[in-house]
Amino acid sequence: MIVLGRLLALPSPLRTRRGIDLDFPLLAGCLALLGLGLVMITSASSEVAAALSGNPLYHMIRHLIYLAIGISAAVATLMIPMAFWQRYSASLLLVAFVLLVLVLIPGIGREVNGAKRWIGFGMFNVQPSELAKLFTVVFIAGYLVRRQEEVREKLSGFLKPMLVLGPMAALLLAEPDFGATVVLVGSCIAMLFLGGINLLRFIPLVAVVLAAGVLVMTSQAYRLERLTNFIDPWADQYGAGYQLSQALIAFGRGEWFGVGLGNSIQKQFYLPEAHTDFVFAVLAEELGMIGALGTVGLFVFVAVRALYIGLWAEKAKQFFSAYVAYGIAMQWIGQVLINIGVNVGLLPTKGLTLPFLSYGGSSLIICCVSLAILLRIEWERRTSLGSEDVEFSETDFLEREEVGHAR
């Protein structure tokens, strides 16, 4: 309660002399994606929801609940200074590890479609991998600030993070969740590169990670089957290639301007997971190539804006904030590329949601929290961590010993 009281007393972009002071271009782009996601989930899930629950708006109502929780979490996150995230980065990483272990324990983790990725809380499921991706980015950002010289000058500087990423990747693969593993490891490696790792050391690291990825993909029969079937889904269009075949049919039916909102045929029990992993295919069928390209344009705008926020923070010498912004942007980019790549048949089928757009509580809430962190970073960069009437700095959140050491 004391910590909460201190946070509420600190300046935030929700309480300034100018009212609410946020980066409205980024906020508008993400709100547009959230609104589009609500519309498409309502359309894509109506037939399935009516058959399973008798209410065609069942998934829309649940998505609205998730959206309300996500917005509430985002508002709370906007009040948390970045120095607070930096101080507790190691604790957050520990929380992520505990949750990833808990989800594998029988009786705690819930299994859906052969994967044990959720911890059940009554009517709702929590997906620990979503929290793990964000908390790992926060930890790596703190590491890059603490060990900046070691990262740039010594081999141990980029080997130490592997001691964190390795076990976390192993836990994710045990669920199994190969898509989340790729996004987490890829975004963290990108952060290390932006943190200044020597290129001669970085190239072997990337080669080792790619080799490990190939080994993992070929180690299980179902992964190898997915790897080969996506190349020619029509060779087994009623078997292993069924989902991708139906997605490609949706793209073909959409043509330039789509069949009209709500008029998708593929969502009527032809395309599995139409409102989650393959919502982009339904969007392309109903809104056409123009709607699909417009959606991609929104994602590009949001991702580029997030990268610029990181760049501005770095120029302001707020390095922790900069690395967090880079990490969040890389995770969004990775998920968008993988999800859309799967939908159009460029990548093997993976269970990975489309940020802000797909149905899924944990993913949506973490996307909202990540957006709030970016908005906080941008505001702190512009206002130098506060307003004129209330001043504070990162040292307000450090332990006394650390402050004394800094002096």
Side-chain angles (χ1 to χ4, degrees), residues 62 66 69 95 99-100 102-104 108-112 115-132 135 175 177 360-363 365-366:
R62 287 178 64 90
Y66 294 141
I69 297 173
V95 169
L99 290 174
L100 289 177
L102 287 176
V103 78
L104 298 176
I108 297 179
R110 286 188 176 179
E111 186 171 334
V112 179
K116 191 177 288 187
R117 303 176 185 173
W118 296 269
I119 297 177
F121 292 94
M123 294 178 59
F124 300 98
N125 294 325
V126 174
Q127 192 169 358
S129 61
E130 295 294 336
L131 288 168
F135 291 169
E175 295 182 2
D177 194 347
S362 298
S363 174
I365 293 169
I366 293 301

Side-chain angles (χ1 to χ4, degrees), residues 220-269:
Q220 297 289 335
Y222 79 94
R223 292 190 185 125
L224 188 59
E225 185 180 16
R226 285 183 176 181
L227 185 63
T228 54
N229 283 329
F230 94 96
I231 299 174
D232 184 15
W234 307 106
D236 189 15
Q237 60 178 311
Y238 297 110
Y242 177 78
Q243 197 169 24
L244 179 54
S245 299
Q246 298 302 315
L248 294 176
I249 291 173
F251 279 97
R253 293 192 75 252
E255 298 184 351
W256 284 98
F257 299 102
V259 298
L261 189 63
N263 295 328
S264 168
I265 298 297
Q266 294 307 105
K267 70 180 181 182
Q268 298 180 12
F269 307 101

Side-chain angles (χ1 to χ4, degrees), residues 1-15 75-81 84 376 390 392 397:
M1 292 299 294
I2 296 176
V3 174
L4 179 61
R6 289 187 62 189
L7 291 177
L8 293 174
L10 293 172
S12 79
L14 300 176
R15 297 184 295 107
V75 171
T77 303
L78 281 169
M79 296 188 292
I80 302 176
F84 188 88
R376 178 81 196 196
V390 182
F392 68 101
F397 302 92

Side-chain angles (χ1 to χ4, degrees), residues 3 55 64 84 89 91 109 114 116 173 189 209 229 258 360 366 402:
V3 174
N55 181 6
L64 281 173
F84 188 88
S89 60
S91 300
K116 191 177 288 187
L173 290 173
I189 287 178
V209 170
N229 283 329
I366 293 301
E402 294 173 352

Side-chain angles (χ1 to χ4, degrees), residues 52 150 155 192 199 217 236 248 258 301 315 323 332 354:
L52 296 180
E150 184 179 0
L155 180 65
L192 292 172
L199 191 61
M217 291 177 68
D236 189 15
L248 294 176
F301 171 76
K315 288 183 177 180
Y323 295 137
W332 286 357
L354 193 57

Side-chain angles (χ1 to χ4, degrees), residues 25 44 128 161 260 262 299 310 345 349 392 400:
F299 278 120
T349 302
F392 68 101
R400 292 181 180 179

Side-chain angles (χ1 to χ4, degrees), residues 126-401:
V126 174
Q127 192 169 358
S129 61
E130 295 294 336
L131 288 168
K133 287 188 291 185
L134 176 60
F135 291 169
T136 304
V137 162
V138 172
F139 176 80
I140 295 296
Y143 171 81
L144 289 172
V145 172
R146 294 191 305 271
R147 305 288 183 179
Q148 190 173 55
E149 184 177 350
E150 184 179 0
V151 168
R152 295 180 177 181
E153 303 296 334
K154 298 180 181 179
L155 180 65
S156 60
F158 71 89
L159 290 179
K160 289 180 179 178
M162 298 303 110
L163 299 177
V164 172
L165 295 179
M168 184 159 289
L171 289 171
L172 288 171
L173 290 173
E175 295 182 2
D177 194 347
F178 185 70
T181 306
V182 171
V183 171
L184 185 144
V185 174
S187 60
C188 290
I189 287 178
M191 290 174 66
L192 292 172
F193 177 72
L194 293 171
I197 283 183
N198 187 295
L199 191 61
L200 294 178
R201 299 190 182 103
F202 183 76
I203 292 176
L205 171 64
V206 173
V208 170
V209 170
L210 289 176
V214 172
L215 180 63
V216 170
M217 291 177 68
T218 57
S219 62
Q220 297 289 335
Y222 79 94
R223 292 190 185 125
L224 188 59
E225 185 180 16
R226 285 183 176 181
L227 185 63
T228 54
N229 283 329
F230 94 96
I231 299 174
D232 184 15
W234 307 106
D236 189 15
Q237 60 178 311
Y238 297 110
Y242 177 78
Q243 197 169 24
L244 179 54
S245 299
Q246 298 302 315
L248 294 176
I249 291 173
F251 279 97
R253 293 192 75 252
E255 298 184 351
W256 284 98
F257 299 102
V259 298
L261 189 63
N263 295 328
S264 168
I265 298 297
Q266 294 307 105
K267 70 180 181 182
Q268 298 180 12
F269 307 101
Y270 291 102
L271 178 60
E273 309 295 339
H275 59 294
T276 55
D277 302 340
F278 282 84
V279 67
F280 188 75
V282 177
L283 182 149
E285 182 183 3
E286 296 190 348
L287 304 182
M289 180 178 287
I290 300 301
L293 290 178
T295 303
V296 172
L298 269 176
F299 278 120
V300 171
F301 171 76
V302 166
V304 170
R305 188 73 180 181
L307 289 172
Y308 266 107
I309 287 174
L311 179 62
W312 295 332
E314 188 172 5
K315 288 183 177 180
K317 299 188 183 303
Q318 297 175 351
F319 296 109
F320 173 76
S321 296
Y323 295 137
V324 170
Y326 290 145
I328 291 174
M330 290 300 174
Q331 289 195 351
W332 286 357
I333 291 170
Q335 287 194 221
V336 170
L337 290 177
I338 292 175
N339 183 277
I340 294 180
V342 166
N343 274 248
V344 301
L346 292 177
L347 294 173
T349 302
K350 297 306 306 172
L352 201 63
T353 57
L354 193 57
F356 298 102
L357 218 64
S358 294
Y359 176 82
S362 298
S363 174
L364 182 64
I365 293 169
I366 293 301
C367 281
C368 291
V369 170
S370 300
L371 167 62
I373 291 174
L374 289 171
L375 293 173
R376 178 81 196 196
I377 291 171
E378 195 275 337
W379 178 77
E380 287 192 4
R381 190 271 310 176
R382 278 190 292 109
T383 59
S384 299
L385 294 177
S387 60
E388 295 178 0
D389 53 333
V390 182
E391 297 181 357
F392 68 101
S393 66
E394 291 184 359
T395 56
D396 293 328
F397 302 92
L398 299 176
E399 298 288 353
R400 292 181 180 179
E401 309 82 77

